């Protein structure tokens, strides 16, 4: 019995282990400021009607859910300029989190390695008083400065 256990343990130790990190599929509102500070791009996939009712998310890119796969794909000719490779960090925000969660799965299958969804969506961001967190990111401040300087 002991020999079988040692043999089993030895086999499992010598088996190849994947060193790839598990895909993180979610970001929490309390993590939003740190994520945008390190360069994450926040994408608001809510409809215009939802933004009218709930409010806007200043600093986030507003892209309809139907277009987000094309806009974030670095190999697509219609991509965003910031979609330079598969390792751009994207955080998708929907109204309550369910729509963005569904989109993340498809985007990860498309090869985007660092795409997550906001747990609880815009409602959670608002409840956590993090609506202005996106505008505090250095890359957002630089973009605003470039646009307003003209």
């Amino acid at each position: 019995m002991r020999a079988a256990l040692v043999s089993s343990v030895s086999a499992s130790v010598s088996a190849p282990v994947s060193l790839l990190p598990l895909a993180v599929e979610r970001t929490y509102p309390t993590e939003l400021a740190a994520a945008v500070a390190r360069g994450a791009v926040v994408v608001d996939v809510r409809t215009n009607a939802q933004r009218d009712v709930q409010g806007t998310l200043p600093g986030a890119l507003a892209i309809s859910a139907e277009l987000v796969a094309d806009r974030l794909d670095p190999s697509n000719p219609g991509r965003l300029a910031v979609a330079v490779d598969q390792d751009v960090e994207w955080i998708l925000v929907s109204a309550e989190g369910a729509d963005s969660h569904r989109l993340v799965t498809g985007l990860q299958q498309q090869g985007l390695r660092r795409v997550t969804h906001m747990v609880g969506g815009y409602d959670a961001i608002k409840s956590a008083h993090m609506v202005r967190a996106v505008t505090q990111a250095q890359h957002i401040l630089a973009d605003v400065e470039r646009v307003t300087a003209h």
Side-chain angles (χ1 to χ4, degrees):
M1 173 95 144
R2 185 167 191 254
L5 179 61
V6 169
S7 174
S8 172
V9 170
S10 296
S12 66
V13 169
S14 64
V17 176
S18 174
L19 298 177
L20 296 175
L22 295 174
V24 176
E25 295 181 1
R26 60 186 63 91
T27 299
Y28 293 91
T30 55
E31 301 168 331
L32 185 58
V36 295
R38 72 175 170 259
V41 180
V42 179
V43 180
D44 185 345
V45 297
R46 295 177 296 153
T47 65
N48 287 333
Q50 288 171 323
R51 280 190 288 277
D52 287 345
V53 170
Q54 292 181 307
T56 62
L57 186 54
L61 301 173
I63 303 173
S64 73
E66 296 81 29
L67 297 176
V68 77
D70 290 339
R71 299 295 186 255
L72 275 51
D73 181 357
S75 65
N76 189 300
R79 71 177 176 81
L80 297 170
V82 71
V84 294
D85 60 38
Q86 302 287 353
D87 290 318
V88 172
E89 184 177 2
W90 304 100
I91 300 173
L92 304 186
V93 178
S94 62
E96 297 167 352
D99 292 337
S100 56
H101 181 68
R102 280 190 293 277
L103 289 169
V104 165
T105 302
L107 291 168
Q108 287 180 340
Q109 290 172 350
Q110 195 173 306
L112 297 177
R113 292 185 275 267
R114 297 180 67 206
V115 61
T116 65
H117 84 97
M118 178 58 59
V119 173
Y122 181 83
D123 286 343
I125 293 171
K126 192 171 182 178
S127 293
H129 306 288
M130 299 298 289
V131 171
R132 298 256 178 238
V134 180
T135 61
Q136 302 308 309
Q138 283 303 117
H139 62 284
I140 299 297
L141 294 172
D143 287 344
V144 169
E145 189 174 302
R146 273 194 300 275
V147 170
T148 57
H150 297 313

